[in-house]
Structures are given as structure tokens and as C-alpha cells.
């Protein structure tokens, strides 16, 4: 008998288990299947920093949350409708996030006395009535997978490891996902071991067939495709989008791209991705440390390439002196900081926005640079292009502040028309520019941008002095003159202020809001979802989001002055709020949390409701 099919407009699923249970792979494959159907999607991977965290313990739980819908969504979802828990630790670590009535699929094979004791369960929650408020589905995932693979030429250990494919097959059946791409993925992933291709494929199909035949799941669900602008889409993570943005910047500028990087979580994927694109003139170098990485990148810029270095917060601290050198040399350089929770080593796989102060001020001397931040995974592509534009046009280092949330999260990305991308071509100095026609003045400036000429080493007649000592105006000679130093410091600051950035746009549909919510970076999604929910309830609220953090948009002061209250949610202790208060004398209201997790739209909605009602 065919089962009932129920239509839903949105679903949030969380896969959770040990860090060795393949939950990231399972979630990624489910996301890929969902993207093929045309749903709007947003994901939140969450995993331990350890390569193999202690099995069966709360610190070792790895999870992947995917939110998909038939309409435009902005976040990975606040609360899962479905939890797949591969062991007691996964259940206990995630149960508090589930609303009553949510579906819980548990791997009963792992609910042994030993595993229960590891996480403090005195009795099995599957039997003591504590889960009565949920739709509990006990499934012997491990043993059923092993039985399904009994005829396959794989070890018991490999058979047990395939339980994540059984779970993926079951969920793919429940939500009417296609699975041809997953079969092709398995064929590629295990191409060198055909027996594993066959075993994982069989486990996946066994999970699908279990959903089709068991009486425990009487309903399957469908979520229709979302209405999106026509075009070609792909599912993309923030790190992948940022990498492709750097590749595009190289193509649109006509310059080779050089990446000097030292592996660090969560930025390493950019190095991995860029290393695949040598055919586009990209050169990658894994350096022995962070200082060598940025030194090589700055050297590449000196030689006429688009120099890039990628890192996270601890690496930016080490790179500070060389960033200051790039300020003094006035050369283009893109520094990507994929922020993570600190201080020090902190929580490498958790997210935070706490590097803003370091990006703005974290150098010795007066060394201002440009700072921009993408707002979503797909926006990382365009932010990378913008960082390259500023760096190349204004001959300055640019810090691009991504974070772990956007770097590892994913969403649909509409592939842009290449011809619509900005023209980033630059003109190198080719001949002397002095009044006598014979002298080259390396610090003679463009009157519009205040940028100095970019002369490739070895160009006849353009020999000039470089280094970190203060430069004399125009000639670039070493200078200790007090008046010259004052002039050069002010000129370098004016060069950053001269950068033309778009005005900040305000979303205030009825133009009657008295409260403005100002954000930057990855808070865009939760803020947007909260504001959308408030407006639907008849509470007017305006939203503005900053991509450019240095220099700030020229119209920002005027925008802030329109509203009685300005609220600034940040995943730090109020760093942008301090800047806004100091520069615009606005009594901004900070709303801060540093839990290593993004805001939920529900918590922002609750907080903003109080502000709006009392405005």
C-alpha cells in the first residue's frame, strides 16, 4: 500500500553523532540532493576541533543542520523538526534544541549501558518516558546495516561505518529527495575500492527501502522547489565561493593570483580549493608559518601579482608586522581572516565576530587599511572581488572578514554573468613620471585615489627604494623629517578615506520604523529573519547591513540620524557598537553573545520586540 504524501513549506533536519560517524558527509549529501530539487537551503555544520574526539562523549558530538524550504530563507533554522541521533551523546547534546512534537530517529544499537553512562544517563531515555513529548522512531541502524551488507565483501567494521548511508537513505525517502547524485558521489569517492562503492550503495538503498516498508513511518513529505530568479545555480560554501571570487579577480584583472598560506581552521579549505585552479594562473604556496606566508604574498604583489594570504584570528596577529609593511610600501594585498572563537587557540571550529578591532586597529603605528565583510556564503564571491578591487585600485592591504559560520555554511548561488563582473585591470608604471622626463617618483600620487604608481621590478628606468623605513614624499627616499612623517601618515589615512564604497541601503518597507537594526558580516541572516517576522506581526523595524567597515559608507551618519533607536547585534562584546558610538555620537544599543554559535532569529525577534515597543 502506498504511503500518504504530505506537503510542507519548510523543514529543518539535524544529523548528529560521533565525529567519526560521518555526519558532515551525510548532511552534505542530503544538502546536495535537496539543492537539485530547487529548494532554498541554508546549512550549519558544527563539529569538534579534534580530528577524532572521544567516542560517545558530549564533547565529541558532531552535527550538521540543514534548513530547506519552498520560499526564500535566511538562516539554517532555529530549531530542528527532525533529529537523527546516532548515539546517546548525540541525543543529549541536541535534545534541548528540539521543540515538542519533533521527530527523533535514534540508533538503538548504540544505547548500551556503557554509552548511556558516558553521558550521565541513569536509565535509557528511550524507555523511561522522558521522550513522550516527541515522535520517537527507534531504528537499529547499525545492525540493520550490517545485515544488509552480509553478502558484500567488506569487513564488519566497514559495514558498521556505512550506517550513515542507511540513515541518509531513510531521510532521503522521508523527504522525497533524489538519490542518483549520491550514488555517483559514492562511485567517485570509493573509485579505488569497488567493494566499498557496492557496500555504501547497498546501505543507502536499504535505508530507502526500510522507509518504504516499515510501519513506523506512515507518511513521507514533499517540499516544493522555491521560486528563484532564472539562471544556473549551484550549492556553495563560503570558503568555496571566496576562492572562486579570488580566481575571478585574477581573470578580471589579468594578473596572476598568488596565495601564500599556512593551514589553519577554518580557512584551510581556501588553500585546498585554490590549489585546483592552476589553469587560471593561480599559484598556491603552503608556507612553514604565518609570517612566511604573508611575506611571500607581499613579495608577489611587489612583483606584479595579486597577492593573497588566508588565515584565522591567531594568524592575523602573527601577520601584523607585514601588514604594516604593506601599508608603508603601499602595495595591494588581500588578507582573508576567517574568524573563529578566541582568544588564543580558543575554539577553532566555532564561530565569532571578535576580530573586528584587530582588523581596524591591530597594527603598530598609524596603519589604516580597508576592511570588508561578506554577509552570506554566496556573498563571499562578491566580497572577494570587492576586496581585490579596492586593493588594486588604491594600492592598499584589505582585510576580508569572513567567519566560520559563512565559511562552512552553504546556500544556492546563482552563477553570475562573467561580463557583468567588474573590470579590475590595472596599469603598471612603464616610464619615468618626473617633470624632467627622466626621474621616476614612486610616491607621486593619482589625484583621485591617492594611489602611488605600481612599478614591476626590472622595468628600465623605474628603479626605486623599498623597505619599512619612512618614505619621503614623491621620491620614496628614507626620511626622518618630522613634517614629512606627519604628511605621509595623514596621506596614507586619506588614501583609505578616499576609497569609494556604496552607500548603505536601508530596508524599511513602510518608512515608518523608529528602530534601526545595524549589522555586519554573518549576522545578516538572523537579523533579516527576525525583522521579517516582526513586520509580519505589524511591528515596524528597519534593517541596514554593513559590508564596508573601513572606510564606512559616506551616508551612514545620515541614516543613523533618522532613527530614535539603533540596535547592533554582534557575536562579540560590542566592537562595531563602540565604533559607531565614537564616530557618530549615536547611543547605539549593543546586543552581544559569544557562545561560538550564530544568533537564532527567535532570540533576536524577542529582543527587538521589546525595543520596538518601547521606542
Amino acid at each position: 500500500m502506498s504511503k500518504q504524501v504530505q506537503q510542507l513549506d519548510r523543514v529543518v533536519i539535524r544529523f548528529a553523532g560521533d565525529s567519526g560517524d560521518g555526519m558532515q558527509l551525510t548532511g552534505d549529501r542530503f544538502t546536495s540532493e535537496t539543492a537539485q530539487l530547487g529548494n532554498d537551503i541554508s546549512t550549519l555544520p558544527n563539529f569538534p576541533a579534534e580530528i577524532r574526539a572521544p567516542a560517545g562523549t558530549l564533547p565529541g558530538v558532531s552535527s550538521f543542520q540543514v534548513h530547506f524550504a519552498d520560499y526564500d530563507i535566511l538562516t539554517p533554522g532555529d530549531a530542528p523538526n527532525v533529529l537523527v541521533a546516532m548515539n546517546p551523546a548525540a541525543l543529549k547534546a541536541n535534545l534541548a534544541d528540539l521543540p515538542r512534537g519533533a521527530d527523533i530517529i535514534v540508533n538503538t544499537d548504540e544505547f548500551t549501558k556503557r554509552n548511556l553512562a558516558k553521558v550521565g544517563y541513569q536509565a535509557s531515555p528511550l524507555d523511561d518516558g522522558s521522550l513522550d513529548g516527541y515522535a520517537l522512531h527507534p531504528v537499529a541502524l547499525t545492525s540493520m546495516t550490517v545485515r544488509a551488507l552480509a553478502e558484500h565483501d567488506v569487513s564488519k567494521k566497514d559495514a558498521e561505518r556505512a550506517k550513515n548511508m542507511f540513515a541518509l537513505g531513510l531521510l532521503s525517502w522521508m523527504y522525497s529527495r533524489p538519490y542518483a547524485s549520491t550514488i555517483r558521489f559514492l562511485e567517485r569517492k570509493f573509485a579505488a575500492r569497488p567493494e566499498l562503492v557496492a557496500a555504501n550503495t547497498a546501505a543507502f538503498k536499504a535505508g530507502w527501502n526500510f522507509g518504504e516498508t516499515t510501519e513506523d513511518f506512515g507518511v513521507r513529505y514533499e517540499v516544493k522547489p522555491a521560486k528563484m530568479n532564472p539562471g544556473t545555480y549551484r550549492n556553495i560554501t563560503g570558503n568555496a565561493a571566496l576562492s572562486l571570487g579570488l580566481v575571478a579577480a585574477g581573470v578580471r584583472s589579468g594578473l596572476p593570483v598568488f596565495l601564500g598560506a599556512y593551514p589553519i581552521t577554518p580557512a584551510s579549505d581556501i588553500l585546498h580549493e585554490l590549489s585546483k585552479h592552476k589553469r587560471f594562473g593561480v599559484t598556491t604556496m603552503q608556507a612553514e608559518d604565518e609570517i612566511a606566508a604573508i611575506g611571500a604574498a607581499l613579495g608577489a604583489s611587489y612583483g606584479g601579482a595579486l597577492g593573497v594570504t588566508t588565515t584565522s584570528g591567531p594568524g592575523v596577529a602573527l601577520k601584523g608586522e607585514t601588514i604594516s609593511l604593506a601599508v608603508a610600501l603601499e602595495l595591494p594585498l588581500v588578507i582573508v581572516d576567517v574568524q573563529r572563537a578566541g582568544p588564543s587557540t580558543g575554539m577553532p571550529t566555532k564561530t565569532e565576530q571578535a576580530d573586528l578591532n584587530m582588523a581596524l586597529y591591530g597594527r603598530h603605528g598609524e596603519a589604516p587599511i580597508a576592511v570588508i565583510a561578506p554577509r552570506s556564503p554566496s556573498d563571499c564571491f562578491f566580497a572577494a572581488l570587492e576586496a581585490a578591487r579596492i586593493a588594486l585600485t588604491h594600492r592598499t592591504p584589505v582585510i576580508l572578514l569572513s567567519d566560520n559560520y559563512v565559511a562552512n555554511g552553504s546556500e544556492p548561488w546563482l552563477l553570475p554573468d562573467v561580463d557583468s563582473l567588474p573590470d579590475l585591470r590595472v596599469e603598471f608604471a612603464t616610464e619615468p613620471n618626473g617633470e624632467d622626463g627622466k626621474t621616476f617618483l614612486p610616491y607621486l600620487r593619482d589625484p583621485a585615489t591617492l594611489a602611488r604608481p605600481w612599478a614591476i621590478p626590472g622595468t628600465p628606468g623605474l628603479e626605486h627604494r623599498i623597505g619599512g623605513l619612512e618614505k619621503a614624499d614623491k621620491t620614496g627616499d628614507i626620511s626622518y623629517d618630522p613634517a614629512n612623517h606627519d604628511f605621509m601618515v595623514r596621506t596614507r589615512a586619506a588614501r583609505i578615506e578616499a576609497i569609494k564604497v556604496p552607500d548603505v541601503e536601508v530596508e524599511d518597507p513602510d518608512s515608518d520604523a523608529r528602530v534601526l537594526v545595524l549589522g555586519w558580516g554573518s549576522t545578516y541572516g538572523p537579523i533579516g529573519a527576525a525583522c521579517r517576522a516582526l513586520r509580519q506581526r505589524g511591528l515596524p523595524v528597519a534593517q541596514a547591513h554593513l559590508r564596508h567597515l573601513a572606510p564606512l559608507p559616506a551616508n551612514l551618519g545620515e541614516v543613523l540620524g533618522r532613527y530614535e533607536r539603533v540596535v547592533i547585534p554582534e557575536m562579540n562584546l560590542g566592537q562595531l557598537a563602540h565604533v559607531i558610538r565614537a564616530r557618530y555620537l549615536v547611543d547605539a544599543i549593543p546586543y552581544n553573545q559569544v557562545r561560538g554559535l550564530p544568533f537564532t532569529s527567535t532570540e533576536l525577534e524577542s529582543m527587538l520586540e521589546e525595543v520596538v515597543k518601547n521606542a
Side-chain angles (χ1 to χ4, degrees), residues 256-415:
V257 175
F258 178 89
L259 172 69
Y262 180 76
I264 183 171
T265 301
S268 299
D269 283 343
I270 302 172
L271 170 61
H272 302 158
E273 181 64 30
L274 283 177
S275 68
K276 303 173 185 176
H277 298 292
K278 297 179 179 65
R279 67 187 183 279
F280 291 109
V282 178
T283 300
T284 54
M285 184 188 84
Q286 181 174 318
E288 67 269 27
D289 56 45
E290 296 281 6
I291 299 172
I294 190 173
L298 182 56
S301 288
Y302 174 59
L306 174 56
V308 181
T309 188
T310 55
T311 187
S312 192
V316 178
L318 292 167
K319 295 177 189 293
E321 183 177 2
T322 308
I323 297 174
S324 289
L325 175 59
V327 171
L329 294 177
E330 300 189 33
L331 286 171
L333 182 66
V334 176
I335 305 108
V336 177
D337 176 7
V338 186
Q339 300 166 96
R340 69 192 207 187
S344 189
T345 309
M347 298 190 295
T349 59
K350 309 304 178 184
T351 197
E352 208 162 86
Q353 289 183 298
D355 291 351
L356 178 58
N357 280 344
M358 180 165 62
L360 294 174
Y361 312 117
R363 290 162 297 282
H364 58 284
E366 293 286 350
I369 64 175
V371 181
I372 68 173
R375 69 187 192 181
S376 69
S378 63
D379 189 48
C380 287
F381 176 85
F382 301 101
L385 277 168
E386 177 68 352
R389 180 193 72 82
I390 293 172
L392 295 172
T393 303
H394 297 270
R395 312 287 196 266
T396 178
V398 179
I399 288 185
L400 196 165
L401 280 177
S402 178
D403 64 46
N404 188 63
Y405 177 28
V406 286
N408 288 311
S410 62
E411 65 181 358
W413 175 46
L414 175 61
L415 271 60

Side-chain angles (χ1 to χ4, degrees), residues 31-47:
T31 301
S32 296
E33 294 172 356
T34 298
Q36 286 188 57
L37 276 181
N39 298 128
D40 196 16
I41 53 176
S42 181
T43 68
L44 177 63
N46 190 3
F47 43 87

